Amino acid sequence: MDYGKEGGMKALIFDGSPEGDSTGERVAGVLAELLAVQGYESEHVVLRKKTIGNCIGCFGCWLKTPGICVIDDDNRELSRRFIGSDLLIMLTPVTFGSYSPELKRMLDHFIANVSPFFMTVRGETHHRNRYADYPDLLVIGWLDHRNGVEEALFRHLAWRNSINFYAQRSSWGIIEPSAASVTLREQVTGLLQGLDKPSALPGENLPDAAATSAMEVSPRKALLLVGSPRMAHSTSASLGGYLLDRLEAQGIETETIHIYKALHDPGKLRQLLDAVDNADLCILSFPLYIDTIPAPLLSVLQKIHECRKGKALHGGFVAIANSGFIESSQNETALAVCSAFAGASGFRWMGSITIGGGEGLAHGRPLAELGGPVIPYKKAFDRVAQSLAAGNPVPEDARRQLARPFVPAWIYRLVGSMEWKKRARRNGVLHKIDDRPYL
């Protein structure tokens, strides 16, 4: 299929089904028939059959090869097809309220399709659009068993994606994977018709992800899982490491594991799973990727979930999310996914920490070495450590302090854009930073 804006309408179907799940193929078949009637030429892409590496968070797609991921694999061609389409349809099993790792791995590369520079959308900081036009968006999910929380979270995530993908029209919803053909066709038809509803759709409400209750016994061993590809030099390691140090000062045994080291090493993955089983308190610290958890973390959370199936409730779970946007509220979708994972995997949900503009606050440096605007954050982390060490959830007053912006939003956007220009100039690509390579 020739991808470009000339000619008939084009629909691109990203099928995030894992191996052994035929739902995506069934839905894609129904979609092809319905879309043809509407004048669309459609292409069904099974993402698990493509070579797509994990986004490594290097920002090379902005600062080295603007608009193109530095990883030369199928993500480049799929981004080109995305930009050349009129409609993107995403098919995925719902995974703790998020997408499948197979779909999310491709979406993590979509950062190349926007600009590094900031703008305000609906009162929030977002990356400026790189292209004048983007495809409409239809997101279709399914679960083996109905789960109201995960379904609501899925709809909220799809809505958030529609904002960041600059979709003019969007629709989303859940279908029944075991439905008869007639019923499935009716469900898919309804979701397609949703594209023709008024574009100013109301925001989907986010399910409550408040901490459940205190642990029965104070933790003796805490495990930090660092979920950033930058590992020890990341802001995720800085934030999580400071909390872990404060827990150690409370007499708790601690351990740190970098998730990305275990992705392709079965032995290290086994060590990670064993460490999770042996810990009384697990802390996941990660960066926000495309409104939710990075794809590799979703894969590991799935493995942890499988290992804990059928086991008794054991251990507490805490999540720390940091975002490149100054509004910490943009992390809440990802943290709700963590809450859903904890509830489904036999953990006691002990709450979360959300930090906006994390890179600007810590720059990957040890938090203990930083002063000035970081001091109130360290004091709040100290209160979190005291509470967790006693087996209690993250205190709400400390969470509110950590969620506050360390600078006004307009200053963050201004300085952030200046910094992107500075780094692009240093790399000799400032004149290309707004390139649109897929036109």
Side-chain angles (χ1 to χ4, degrees), residues 56-365:
I56 57 175
C58 67
F59 301 122
C61 60
W62 290 341
L63 300 172
K64 293 183 179 179
T65 55
I68 302 174
C69 179
V70 296
I71 300 174
D72 187 5
D73 61 21
D74 289 336
N75 88 83
R76 292 183 175 183
E77 175 59 21
L78 293 176
S79 280
R80 185 181 73 83
R81 298 182 193 181
F82 164 69
I83 295 300
S85 296
D86 300 283
L87 172 63
L88 173 66
I89 303 175
M90 306 191 316
L91 309 180
T92 177
V94 179
T95 308
F96 313 121
S98 187
Y99 305 148
S100 69
E102 289 81 0
L103 174 60
K104 190 58 169 54
R105 187 172 297 111
M106 180 59 214
L107 298 186
D108 286 347
H109 291 284
F110 271 22
I111 191 174
N113 298 322
V114 294
S115 165
F117 302 125
F118 293 127
M119 65 182 293
T120 303
V121 179
R122 303 184 186 185
E124 289 182 331
T125 303
H126 290 271
H127 288 293
R128 197 174 71 198
N129 52 303
R130 180 177 293 276
Y131 296 90
D133 298 303
Y134 289 84
D136 296 331
L137 179 66
L138 173 59
V139 189
I140 301 177
W142 59 86
L143 300 92
D144 290 333
H145 305 285
R146 298 304 297 267
N147 183 310
V149 171
E150 291 196 21
E151 290 176 23
L153 180 49
F154 173 84
R155 291 192 296 268
H156 183 85
L157 174 57
W159 169 64
R160 295 296 301 177
N161 282 172
S162 73
I163 299 171
N164 282 314
F165 292 1
Y166 290 95
Q168 293 298 309
R169 302 190 308 159
S170 52
S171 179
W172 47 78
I174 303 290
I175 54 95
E176 299 174 43
S178 59
S181 297
V182 173
T183 302
L184 181 64
R185 188 181 183 88
E186 291 174 349
Q187 293 174 348
V188 174
T189 299
L191 294 176
L192 267 175
Q193 291 174 344
L195 292 169
D196 296 320
K197 293 179 180 179
S199 59
L201 291 172
E204 293 282 352
N205 292 328
L206 186 65
D208 182 25
T212 49
S213 61
M215 300 173 68
E216 296 179 358
V217 180
S218 298
R220 293 176 295 177
K221 185 170 184 178
L223 171 67
L224 171 64
L225 298 173
V226 177
S228 169
R230 300 183 191 180
M231 294 185 278
H233 302 290
S234 67
T235 294
S236 298
S238 172
L239 300 173
Y242 184 85
L243 177 58
L244 203 69
D245 288 344
R246 300 284 72 76
L247 288 170
E248 189 172 16
Q250 299 281 332
I252 296 175
E253 181 184 350
T254 62
E255 181 182 5
T256 299
I257 293 179
H258 295 278
I259 289 176
Y260 278 73
K261 289 185 177 180
L263 293 179
H264 306 295
D265 187 325
K268 289 182 179 178
L269 178 60
R270 183 69 259 170
Q271 291 174 4
L272 183 154
L273 296 173
D274 289 343
V276 169
D277 270 350
N278 294 329
D280 302 306
L281 177 66
C282 288
I283 303 167
L284 175 64
S285 186
F286 64 93
L288 187 72
Y289 274 28
I290 314 295
D291 297 307
T292 186
I293 295 175
L297 273 63
L298 281 169
S299 295
V300 170
L301 293 185
Q302 280 186 319
K303 291 180 172 63
I304 294 172
H305 174 73
E306 288 297 320
C307 285
R308 292 174 66 91
K309 268 186 178 179
K311 295 182 180 179
L313 177 70
H314 169 68
F317 195 86
V318 176
I320 306 172
N322 72 92
S323 168
F325 302 126
I326 191 62
E327 300 90 1
S328 62
S329 58
Q330 298 205 46
N331 293 319
E332 296 294 358
T333 310
L335 293 172
V337 170
C338 293
S339 173
F341 157 77
S345 306
F347 290 101
R348 191 180 301 276
W349 176 239
M350 302 296 288
S352 63
I353 293 167
T354 175
I355 294 180
E359 185 69 13
L361 180 70
H363 297 287
R365 296 169 295 180

Side-chain angles (χ1 to χ4, degrees), residues 394-411:
V394 174
E396 187 56 35
D397 65 327
R399 191 183 196 275
R400 285 195 299 268
Q401 170 60 52
L402 289 163
R404 291 174 183 165
F406 63 92
V407 293
W410 71 269
I411 293 179

